[in-house]
Structure formats: structure tokens, C-alpha cells
Amino acid sequence: MKQKRASRRPFFFGAASTQPMFAMPNKAVIPIDILLLASAFIYSRRMDNEVLRYTSPDGQQSLILDDDGKTGYAYLLDEGGKVTADCWLYNRKAAPVENEWKFSKNMPFANSAEYVKPEFTGGFNPPKNDGELSVGWTDQGAELFIRDRLFARLVVGSKPGWSRLAAKDGPLALMLSD
């Protein structure tokens, strides 16, 4: 079952655990799993500024897709909510010439032009709705498909994972080959 949340800004991990939490405007804190189930019916179908969650059929893993309007990332989580793999997916706008990861204030980092396939250095047109996305599950992780094409592979312990748009292996993504 896919689970979604419309805004990523109030999303955080509880200080005492790795359980993702959501801070409500009235200061109440709700476990993210409960919020994701409730919000699955009321989310915006746009991909920007959105977090989408896909849970494996056995419930042992989840794949989080995070698009903040600047970049897209995927995170593989175990059943306890711990990130076991991550991967840069795309930049929405032109790839920066300089590496952004020199300064933590730039997080999440756009991948620099050096590491992005030339045809995508001007930016990538991300999926407009969840119908353009699908996830395949393996014992080792997950594969993300965008518009029915293998787009990213995340394997437990792989940080980073593999992205279709990576021109060469780098700190944010490894090059995905068929």
C-alpha cells in the first residue's frame, strides 16, 4: 500500500527514537505512520514538495521518495524506520557547476553537472502523479520505476544507490546501467 504526505517541512525523527514524527500546528506530535495512513486520502497529487512512501508487501522495508522542489531523493528504510540506503534521483533545475555538498546549508544537495548525464544537466521533468511511479521489491532492497523505466536501485547498505541520471559514480549516486 502506498502512503503519502503532502509537505515535508514538519517531518522529523523523534529525539528518543528513529520513529519518524510529524509536528502539528498545535504542537501535538503524531507518529508519521499514522499520519501517512490518514493523509493518503487528502494529499496533493503534485510531486513537488512531497514525500511519498511505498511499503514492501511483507512490511519489512519502505521506500521514501522526497521531492522538495529542488531535487529528488529516494531513501530505503527498514521496518524500524532506519535509513539503510539512499540515492539522489534528479535535479529539477540546471545542475550547479560547483559541488553543493561543501556546505551543509545546501541540503538536500543538487548533483553537480560533472555527475549528471549531459541531457539532464538543464533539469529533469519529474513525475506529475503517482501513476507514473512504481516500485519493485527484492530481498536486498527496491527498484524505482518512473514512466515504466528502471530509474533507481537501492540496496541495503548502499549509500549512495544507483540512479539513471548519474553520468558517473559520485557521492550522491552511482551510475545505473541496464
Side-chain angles (χ1 to χ4, degrees), residues 42-105:
I42 57 174
Y43 79 105
S44 165
R45 293 188 76 81
R46 293 177 44 215
M47 284 291 295
D48 58 324
N49 295 312
E50 190 164 334
V51 174
L52 302 177
R53 181 182 184 128
Y54 298 82
T55 302
S56 64
D58 64 5
Q60 300 294 307
Q61 302 178 88
S62 295
L63 182 70
I64 303 290
L65 302 179
D66 186 356
D67 183 323
D68 70 345
K70 173 184 164 187
T71 62
Y73 276 84
Y75 303 94
L76 186 66
L77 283 67
D78 64 17
E79 64 184 324
K82 179 183 174 194
V83 175
T84 60
D86 58 54
C87 184
W88 165 87
L89 300 174
Y90 53 79
N91 296 337
R92 281 183 165 262
K93 299 183 179 166
V97 175
E98 296 288 319
N99 298 328
E100 286 193 342
W101 52 83
K102 293 177 184 177
F103 304 101
S104 62
K105 68 180 174 103

Side-chain angles (χ1 to χ4, degrees), residues 79-150:
E79 64 184 324
K82 179 183 174 194
V83 175
T84 60
D86 58 54
C87 184
W88 165 87
L89 300 174
Y90 53 79
N91 296 337
R92 281 183 165 262
K93 299 183 179 166
V97 175
E98 296 288 319
N99 298 328
E100 286 193 342
W101 52 83
K102 293 177 184 177
F103 304 101
S104 62
K105 68 180 174 103
N106 294 327
M107 289 178 70
F109 305 122
N111 214 350
S112 63
E114 173 184 3
Y115 295 97
V116 179
K117 286 186 178 177
E119 61 268 33
F120 297 104
T121 56
F124 176 72
N125 183 20
K128 298 195 182 344
N129 61 62
D130 62 342
E132 295 181 317
L133 299 166
S134 61
V135 176
W137 297 99
T138 69
D139 291 340
Q140 298 297 313
E143 292 184 330
L144 172 66
F145 295 82
I146 297 180
R147 299 178 191 106
D148 297 322
R149 184 164 188 209
L150 179 61

Side-chain angles (χ1 to χ4, degrees), residues 151-174:
F151 200 82
R153 180 174 295 125
L154 287 93
V155 174
V156 173
S158 178
K159 295 182 180 182
W162 294 261
S163 172
R164 167 84 43 214
L165 302 189
K168 66 180 185 176
D169 292 350
L172 305 180
L174 303 175

